[in-house]
Amino acid sequence: MNTNDNMEMRIREVAQQLFFKQGYAATSTIQIAKEVGCTQALVHYYYRTKENLFRQIFMEQIQAALRVIGQSLMSEDSFDKFIESAISMYFDTLIQNPRLPYFVLEELISNPERRKYLRENFVKNPTYAMFYLQFDARLKQEQQAGRISPIDPFDLMITIVSLVVFTFISLPMYQDLLSRTDEQVHEFVLHRKEEVIRIVRKMLMP
Amino acid sequence: MNTNDNMEMRIREVAQQLFFKQGYAATSTIQIAKEVGCTQALVHYYYRTKENLFRQIFMEQIQAALRVIGQSLMSEDSFDKFIESAISMYFDTLIQNPRLPYFVLEELISNPERRKYLRENFVKNPTYAMFYLQFDARLKQEQQAGRISPIDPFDLMITIVSLVVFTFISLPMYQDLLSRTDEQVHEFVLHRKEEVIRIVRKMLMP
DNA sequence: GTCTATATAGTGATAGAC
DNA sequence: GTCTATCACTATATAGAC
């Protein structure tokens, strides 16, 4: 349990939950304070501005997500097994946190400043560039061995991200428009996991 | 040109542009009025509430999108040609209106009332149910003839939508995070169009 | 470190004059 | 039909007491 009695941390944790659930614009510092059980002034005392509080949480989440992606690339399995376990890991991580994809997308789309910040702090970071090169090298190797059909690594990445991320983004629509229960929604996600693996496998077949 | 001097329509057109660009929450009726060149009171005179103005625009857009989808299903081509021209049509329509996917998603995700409204007015509408049945029938027919591998129609639909929609949703990230020019972004979309067609074709191979 | 009180600004909506 | 004026509300942020 992270029920730290440190006020600074409690504010951060509550803010994270609310930002996740409602997004930045729809969450007020007053609401955060009320949920924490302190006054709004205290939120500003520790983080000065709402944007500042948000940015710390946002970047922490991006970092955690990139860590999962980086970790998935470290696999020593056969390529086929590697693709399967990577996609599986992405799904399992997001099942724990189904609102993360929409949260990140919304805040990146609606705020160009955050995209700029992300580019400066992550895209230009050699660690993450290395992830891509590693993926690229592995893909080329498989291609030359004739085990997969030729495909651009960036295209493959976009395709996997599209299929994984959209599954989670579309959940509220799936649930409400088709009147599905929580249980059915969960089954849908597990089903899509298998389906996405199947699609990517077939797509890579020579 | 739609530069109607009818105030009611001018307000609607300006509101549409702003809602598309900024979303519902970030657009004020004051801003709409300023852009039109009238007072905020007039916006409320014609549409009473901001939500009301928005809903008219939103539902009109959904209807237009569904019309494109319905139209794509009317094709008399061979199944392979049909898949290609349908995906191609979705891309071409969204190239004309790249913000539509995010706009619709954002407003549906952030507002459960709108999902409810959409379910009552569209999902329950027999016309749209018929589209799905038609698609289902055609798919089964191709399967039985052994021309495509067995696949659930709903899965195929979700997969196509994921790949098409995510392309447009990810454009701001593609552009800013990788520092791409408008020209490069356009090329990327055209490239993804071909790639998505290729993926779906391969996925359907027996 | 935490509170109360308030400055400042923006919003959606309406009443009423012309 | 269009305007001015204003109400009721909510928001972020800060000053100052304890």
Side-chain angles (χ1 to χ4, degrees), chain A residues 11-36 54 57 99 103 106-107:
Chain A
I11 290 170
R12 178 110 144 228
E13 281 158 21
V14 167
Q16 183 174 139
Q17 286 179 340
L18 292 177
F19 282 144
F20 260 63
K21 201 160 49 177
Q22 311 167 340
Y24 179 81
T27 304
S28 69
T29 52
I30 295 176
Q31 191 190 5
I32 294 169
K34 199 180 287 174
E35 209 109 333
V36 169
F54 177 83
I57 292 167
R99 293 195 144 267
F103 173 72
E106 188 203 7
E107 302 303 342

Side-chain angles (χ1 to χ4, degrees), chain A residues 102 105-106 108-109 112 115 118-119 123 149 151 154-155 158-159 161-163 165-166 169 172-174 176-179 188 191-192 195 198-199 202-206, chain B residues 102 105-106 108-109 112 115 118-119 123 149 151 154-155 158-159 161-163 165-166 169 172-174 176-179 188 191-192 195 198-199 202-206:
Chain A
Y102 178 66
L105 274 180
E106 188 203 7
L108 282 180
I109 289 174
R115 297 201 289 276
L118 197 66
R119 188 182 66 225
V123 180
S149 73
I151 186 168
F154 188 68
D155 265 317
I158 297 267
T159 296
V161 172
S162 300
L163 293 170
V165 163
F166 195 84
I169 287 180
M173 269 73 79
Y174 179 73
D176 282 9
L177 296 184
L178 303 181
S179 309
F188 170 71
H191 170 74
R192 283 303 291 175
E195 181 69 11
R198 204 184 65 79
I199 292 167
K202 188 149 184 186
M203 194 184 115
L204 288 173
M205 270 172 36
Chain B
Y102 178 67
L105 275 180
E106 187 203 8
L108 283 180
I109 289 174
R115 296 201 290 275
L118 198 65
R119 189 182 66 226
V123 180
S149 73
I151 185 169
F154 189 68
D155 264 318
I158 297 268
T159 297
V161 172
S162 300
L163 293 170
V165 164
F166 195 83
I169 287 180
M173 270 73 78
Y174 178 73
D176 283 7
L177 296 184
L178 303 182
S179 308
F188 170 70
H191 171 73
R192 283 303 292 174
E195 182 68 12
R198 203 184 66 79
I199 292 167
K202 188 151 184 185
M203 194 185 115
L204 288 172
M205 271 171 38

